[in-house]
Amino acid sequence: MVAQLDTNGILTGILNRLNGWTLVLTILLGLVAYDQFMYIWNKGSIVGPAWKAPFIGPFLESVNPKFQRYHEKWLSAPLSCVSVFHKFVVIASTRDMARKVFNSPNFVKPCVVDAAYKLLRPQNWVFLDGKAHVDYRKGLNGLFTRQALEQYLPGQEEVYNTYFRKWVEFSQVQHKGEFAPFMPEFREVMCALSCRTFVGHYMPDEAMKKIADDYYLITEALELVNFPIILPFTKSWYGKKAADMVLVEFSKCATKCKVRMAAGGEKTCILDFWVSSMMESAKYRERIAAGEKVPDTEKPSMLIRDFTDFEISMTIFTFLFASQDATSSAATWLFQIMADRSEYLEKIREENIAIRNGDVHAPISIDTLESKMPWTRAIVKETLRYRPPVIMVPYVAKKEFPITPDYTVPKGAMVVPTTYLALHDAEAYPDPESFVPERWITGDADKQVKNWLVFGTGPHYCLGQQYAQANLMLMIGKASMLLDWKHKVTPLSEEIRVFATIFPMDDCLLTMKDRTA
């Protein structure tokens, strides 16, 4: 039959026409068709573009993400979708859809973005699932108790005192009192504060400054949409180099801490408390193994295993990852808003001076921060609601996820709940687009617990939520007493720039000076 076909010239004609370029084009068209088919198949009944640009999808649009585009997407439907490169992404926009994702650990787990596994390391605890994640997390809970937070306050005040002086010099000397972008300054102080709180003075100032300068590269590498392969001189490549440096520095801190804690050193930072807990657990197990009957009163409140220096380093890195961009965003908006709404800044100032009995340098307790500063607390909470630092939290579907009766998220797809619409829900927070701290004092904002998604919810909620709020209260309270600042309002001041978290588009133009009265 083949010979007959060849005699008739049919087979020869086909083979002659099927040259290399034709074969490549045929394969390419097949892949495009498959890519398009899979997108339409995964999209199903939810809202999304009718078709996708072959392979890359809306990648080029996402290189410079626009908040307005995100907002339009959220408003389009409770569930919507896009497909970028090989990733199909389902966006859960409403409060109830977001909570459904946060509270479905059987179906989803945090994934951050593809590059996160390479930068934070695949074995990092944040990527653990189920019982392994719960057990690891239990060992960290003690680092954020009220007792522990109290111990961190002196170190935090030290950082603020140092940086407030730097800010005045930056503004009055370097910029001669003219307005200058302060967003980078807030990023640096928050990195310094995190490093001092997490690892104390085990990290030298020059290493801390290096991390503060380079962390911007890590943030760029962890943008929601990025090139999926780490190629030389790309954002992911620079971010990986910066992340490697951070892990090395934190490992050095862990080594120093173990030596100091073994010698009976005083606990002043998170690393000290964690390493001390490891040592107490090890001693308890040794006593039990030796046959000693140890009274329950001498049993550590939480038995944890020993962690290697690198495991400690990875965990501390995740604390920095969770805090750096979020607190930098919150601080930037807080200082801008207070400059623009001086009546609220004056309430903070009066409240902070009063609780310190007129001594602006008097230390403060965690109890005072939590229960005796209603205006400072209300203004911080309203800032977090009005301009929530984290607007999206990427998860990945471990298996098919029936998120609604009519739609099932396919296995392997990203599922991204947003917090923004829940925090701008007019039913929970009347006049949601206005900054109204009074809603936390005379209103019922505190009762809207289902909408308060600033720190997430469910098994992966933010461990440091009390720490973050107390830190912001301490920061703005001290600044109100020690500094005067003004904000230059521009057409871009209230425009939102998305850079992992959100910032004013003009980077917050301020001028600062020492307060003399």
Side-chain angles (χ1 to χ4, degrees):
M1 291 178 63
V2 171
Q4 183 63 38
L5 282 171
D6 196 41
T7 300
N8 295 332
I10 297 175
L11 187 61
T12 301
I14 292 174
L15 291 175
N16 286 338
R17 284 190 291 270
L18 196 63
N19 57 36
W21 286 111
T22 304
L23 182 62
V24 169
L25 182 60
T26 301
I27 293 172
L28 181 61
L29 290 175
L31 291 174
V32 169
Y34 176 78
D35 182 55
Q36 190 69 29
F37 171 78
M38 289 306 300
Y39 166 69
I40 295 172
W41 178 267
N42 289 331
K43 174 179 176 294
S45 60
I46 63 175
V47 172
W51 66 284
K52 63 170 288 191
F55 307 123
I56 65 172
F59 171 70
L60 296 179
E61 296 177 21
S62 304
V63 170
N64 184 23
K66 304 291 185 184
F67 176 81
Q68 189 58 38
R69 296 293 297 272
Y70 281 129
H71 196 245
E72 290 170 359
K73 191 73 173 175
W74 300 332
L75 293 175
S76 67
L79 290 177
S80 57
C81 69
V82 294
S83 183
V84 183
F85 289 117
H86 61 296
K87 281 293 182 184
F88 182 72
V89 183
V90 176
I91 301 163
S93 303
T94 62
R95 179 198 72 183
D96 292 339
M97 284 292 99
R99 291 184 65 87
K100 181 76 174 286
V101 177
F102 284 132
N103 290 300
S104 298
N106 290 332
F107 292 98
V108 298
K109 65 177 181 178
C111 68
V112 194
V113 292
D114 282 351
Y117 291 99
K118 303 178 182 72
L119 271 63
L120 301 178
R121 300 298 191 273
Q123 64 270 41
N124 199 300
W125 78 281
V126 294
F127 302 126
L128 295 177
D129 198 24
K131 186 176 184 302
H133 175 266
V134 172
D135 290 345
Y136 202 115
R137 190 182 179 97
K138 283 180 180 178
L140 302 176
N141 285 334
L143 305 177
F144 295 95
T145 63
R146 294 181 77 258
Q147 178 188 9
L149 295 180
E150 187 82 49
Q151 302 299 315
Y152 309 147
L153 287 176
Q156 292 169 347
E157 294 215 44
E158 174 191 337
V159 170
Y160 286 134
N161 289 334
T162 298
Y163 274 84
F164 287 173
R165 290 192 295 270
K166 288 185 177 182
W167 288 352
V168 172
E169 180 181 354
F170 172 78
S171 188
Q172 297 301 317
V173 178
Q174 296 182 40
H175 290 275
K176 303 187 184 306
E178 299 296 324
F179 291 99
F182 257 76
M183 186 271 277
E185 305 307 308
F186 292 127
R187 287 183 66 88
E188 182 176 335
V189 71
M190 284 304 171
C191 187
L193 185 97
S194 293
C195 288
R196 285 287 175 256
T197 304
F198 300 156
V199 299
H201 286 277
Y202 297 117
M203 178 176 288
D205 289 344
E206 57 271 19
M208 188 175 67
K209 181 67 168 65
K210 173 69 173 170
I211 292 175
D213 291 342
D214 287 6
Y215 199 89
Y216 201 88
L217 301 173
I218 297 173
T219 303
E220 283 191 319
L222 293 173
E223 288 173 338
L224 182 62
V225 177
N226 224 326
F227 198 73
I229 302 172
I230 294 182
L231 298 175
F233 310 112
T234 61
K235 290 180 182 179
S236 300
W237 185 78
Y238 285 113
K240 178 67 163 56
K241 286 172 66 70
D244 291 346
M245 179 270 295
V246 173
L247 287 168
V248 168
E249 292 299 332
F250 282 148
S251 290
K252 293 177 184 177
C253 294
T255 302
K256 296 175 186 176
C257 179
K258 288 179 178 179
V259 173
R260 182 169 171 270
M261 288 298 101
E266 180 186 0
K267 294 178 285 189
T268 60
C269 64
I270 282 179
L271 185 55
D272 288 340
F273 279 85
W274 193 19
V275 169
S276 294
S277 182
M278 292 179 208
M279 292 180 174
E280 291 169 6
S281 296
K283 289 178 182 177
Y284 175 80
R285 284 191 289 266
E286 288 171 5
R287 294 171 68 185
I288 294 296
E292 182 180 348
K293 291 184 179 180
V294 183
D296 288 342
T297 55
E298 296 181 24
K299 181 180 179 180
S301 57
M302 177 59 66
L303 281 173
I304 61 175
R305 66 174 175 86
D306 286 337
F307 292 84
T308 66
D309 291 351
F310 190 68
E311 285 178 317
I312 292 171
S313 176
M314 287 191 296
T315 302
I316 297 294
F317 189 11
T318 62
F319 292 167
L320 181 63
F321 167 71
S323 65
Q324 172 61 15
D325 290 305
T327 53
S328 299
S329 167
T332 304
W333 288 108
L334 185 55
F335 273 78
Q336 174 171 304
I337 291 168
M338 288 303 93
D340 294 343
R341 297 165 175 83
S342 57
E343 68 276 17
Y344 291 122
L345 178 59
E346 189 58 36
K347 288 181 182 296
I348 292 177
R349 182 176 291 126
E350 291 174 357
E351 186 173 74
N352 275 265
I353 292 174
I355 62 172
R356 292 174 171 85
N357 296 317
D359 181 2
V360 297
H361 297 291
I364 200 168
S365 68
I366 195 69
D367 179 65
T368 300
L369 282 169
E370 288 183 346
S371 60
K372 298 178 182 178
M373 299 169 65
W375 273 107
T376 309
R377 173 185 176 274
I379 288 165
V380 166
K381 294 205 73 167
E382 181 66 355
T383 300
L384 293 173
R385 183 207 67 80
Y386 178 64
R387 291 290 183 260
V390 179
I391 56 175
M392 294 174 287
V393 186
Y395 283 73
V396 65
K398 300 186 291 185
K399 56 185 177 181
E400 290 191 345
F401 177 20
I403 194 169
T404 71
D406 302 318
Y407 183 73
T408 297
V409 178
K411 178 182 178 180
M414 286 180 69
V415 193
V416 184
T418 179
T419 64
Y420 193 87
L421 292 192
L423 293 163
H424 287 74
D425 181 349
E427 291 187 14
Y429 307 108
D431 192 15
E433 300 306 321
S434 296
F435 184 82
V436 186
E438 290 84 354
R439 71 174 88 243
W440 300 96
I441 295 177
T442 58
D444 64 352
D446 270 320
K447 297 179 182 178
Q448 309 303 324
V449 292
K450 286 189 174 182
N451 286 72
W452 183 248
L453 296 180
V454 173
F455 299 97
T457 188
H460 291 276
Y461 78 91
C462 178
L463 269 175
Q465 58 179 306
Q466 298 306 320
Y467 157 76
Q469 292 176 87
N471 169 34
L472 290 168
M473 290 175 65
L474 176 66
M475 181 186 195
I476 198 65
K478 285 183 68 68
S480 72
M481 298 182 297
L482 301 177
L483 300 172
D484 278 325
W485 66 94
K486 295 180 180 179
H487 172 231
K488 181 179 180 180
V489 179
T490 76
L492 299 178
S493 295
E494 287 295 325
E495 294 292 317
I496 295 174
R497 177 160 69 99
V498 180
F499 182 66
T501 51
I502 62 173
F503 294 93
M505 192 70 79
D506 62 5
D507 287 345
C508 188
L509 301 173
L510 301 179
T511 180
M512 287 194 182
K513 63 182 181 179
D514 288 318
R515 182 171 177 78
T516 56

